[in-house]
C-alpha cells in the first residue's frame, strides 16, 4: 500500500513539524517503513521559521495567509482545504497552528486531523497551559495528541506523555520539558494513526 500523504499545518518555528517529518523519513524502531509521507508543510504566517526548515528537509511548502481574508474564516478555510486537496493530503497534523478552525473546516477533515496540545487533556484546554498547571499546584503535566473535533481541544485522545512538575519550575522551564515530550509523542502517535491504528500511546519521561 502506498504511504498516506500527510500535511502539517504550522504558524511558527515548527519544532513539532520537524520531529514529524524526520520520523516519516526514517525507518521505525523495528526497521519498518512508515505508513505516512510528508506531502506539504503549510503556514498561515509567511514568516514562519518552520517553512525554511521544511524546505531543507525536502518537503513542499505553502503559505495561506489569513490576513487578506479579513476575518472571513470560511473563505480562509476553503483556501486551506483547496491547497490540502491539491497536494492530495489524506492526514492533516496541526503542529502549533495558531488559528481556530470552525466546524466548516473540521467536519471536512474530521477523522483525518490530529492536534498536539501542551497539557494532559481534559485539563487545561486553551492557552497558558504551563502557567495554569503550576498555579493549580499540579504534581504532573504533559501533552496530548487528539483527533480534532469542532470543540476546542476536545476529540478522542490518541496519546499522552506525562512528566513530573519539579520544585522551582517556571512556565518556561516546564514548557521546555513538555516540548521534549511533544517531540516523542506526536511521531509515535502519527506512526500508529497512519497505519490505521487509533489505540492511544501513553509515554512517561525516560
Ligand atoms: C507547542 O507547544 C504545541 O504544543 C503548541 O504550540 C507549540 C508549537 O511549537 N500547540 P512548534 O512550532 O512545534 O515548535
Amino acid at each position: 500500500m502506498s504511504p498516506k500523504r500527510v500535511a502539517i499545518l504550522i504558524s511558527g518555528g515548527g519544532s513539532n513539524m520537524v520531529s514529524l517529518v524526520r520520523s516519516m523519513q526514517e525507518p521505525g524502531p523495528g526497521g519498518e517503513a512508515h505508513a505516512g509521507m510528508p506531502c506539504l508543510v503549510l503556514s498561515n504566517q509567511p514568516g514562519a521559521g518552520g517553512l525554511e526548515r521544511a524546505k531543507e528537509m525536502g518537503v513542499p511548502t505553502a503559505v495561506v495567509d489569513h490576513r487578506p481574508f479579513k476575518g472571513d474564516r470560511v473563505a480562509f478555510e476553503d483556501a486551506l482545504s483547496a491547497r490540502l486537496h491539491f497536494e492530495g493530503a489524506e492526514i492533516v497534523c496541526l503542529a502549533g497552528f495558531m488559528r481556530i478552525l470552525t466546524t466548516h473546516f473540521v467536519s471536512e477533515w474530521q477523522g483525518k486531523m490530529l492536534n498536539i496540545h501542551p497539557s494532559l487533556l481534559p485539563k487545561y484546554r486553551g492557552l497558558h497551559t504551563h502557567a495554569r498547571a503550576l498555579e493549580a499546584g499540579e504534581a504532573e503535566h504533559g501533552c496530548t495528541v487528539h483527533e480534532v473535533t469542532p470543540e476546542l481541544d476536545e476529540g478522542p485522545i490518541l496519546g499522552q506523555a506525562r512528566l513530573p512538575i519539579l520544585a522551582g519550575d517556571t512556565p518556561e522551564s516546564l514548557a521546555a520539558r513538555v516540548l521534549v515530550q511533544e517531540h516523542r509523542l506526536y511521531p509515535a502517535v502519527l506512526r500508529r494513526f497512519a497505519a490505521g491504528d487509533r489505540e492511544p500511546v501513553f509515554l512517561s519521561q525516560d
Side-chain angles (χ1 to χ4, degrees):
M1 219 168 59
S2 55
K4 287 238 167 69
R5 297 176 66 80
V6 178
I8 305 169
L9 270 53
I10 64 168
S11 297
S15 70
N16 276 293
M17 175 278 294
V18 169
S19 73
L20 290 173
V21 168
R22 282 205 184 123
S23 74
M24 288 186 270
Q25 293 176 337
E26 288 165 2
E32 69 280 13
H34 204 293
M37 61 159 283
C39 70
L40 179 70
V41 170
L42 189 158
S43 172
N44 66 304
Q45 293 285 0
L51 290 168
E52 278 312 308
R53 301 173 83 181
K55 281 180 200 154
E56 285 161 17
M57 292 185 294
V59 182
T61 60
V63 173
V64 179
D65 190 340
H66 60 278
R67 283 165 292 198
F69 294 94
K70 299 187 190 305
D72 184 344
R73 287 186 190 269
V74 167
F76 168 64
E77 291 176 350
D78 284 344
L80 276 185
S81 270
R83 198 67 183 79
L84 294 170
H85 287 303
F86 181 76
E87 297 295 340
E90 296 164 281
I91 294 175
V92 176
C93 291
L94 306 180
F97 185 69
M98 300 305 284
R99 302 298 297 170
I100 289 177
L101 296 165
T102 74
T103 307
H104 176 73
F105 185 85
V106 173
S107 56
E108 182 176 353
W109 293 95
Q110 198 163 324
K112 302 173 192 162
M113 183 156 58
L114 313 183
N115 181 42
I116 188 153
H117 182 75
S119 78
L120 293 172
L121 291 173
K123 288 185 172 179
Y124 310 115
R125 298 187 173 104
L127 297 174
H128 311 302
T129 56
H130 310 300
R132 287 158 62 205
L134 285 172
E135 269 162 34
E138 297 281 2
E140 59 173 15
H141 188 47
C143 52
T144 303
V145 176
H146 63 96
E147 285 187 44
V148 179
T149 55
E151 286 301 311
L152 185 67
D153 301 328
E154 295 239 5
I157 288 176
L158 296 170
Q160 286 190 315
R162 52 187 68 234
L163 50 76
I165 292 184
L166 306 177
D169 255 333
T170 62
E172 292 72 29
S173 67
L174 190 51
R177 289 210 316 288
V178 170
L179 193 60
V180 173
Q181 299 308 312
E182 292 180 34
H183 297 162
R184 295 175 65 216
L185 180 69
Y186 212 171
V189 171
L190 177 62
R191 185 173 287 278
R192 278 195 186 178
F193 188 83
D197 181 357
R198 286 174 158 76
E199 186 72 26
V201 176
F202 292 107
L203 302 178
S204 51
Q205 206 174 13
D206 287 331

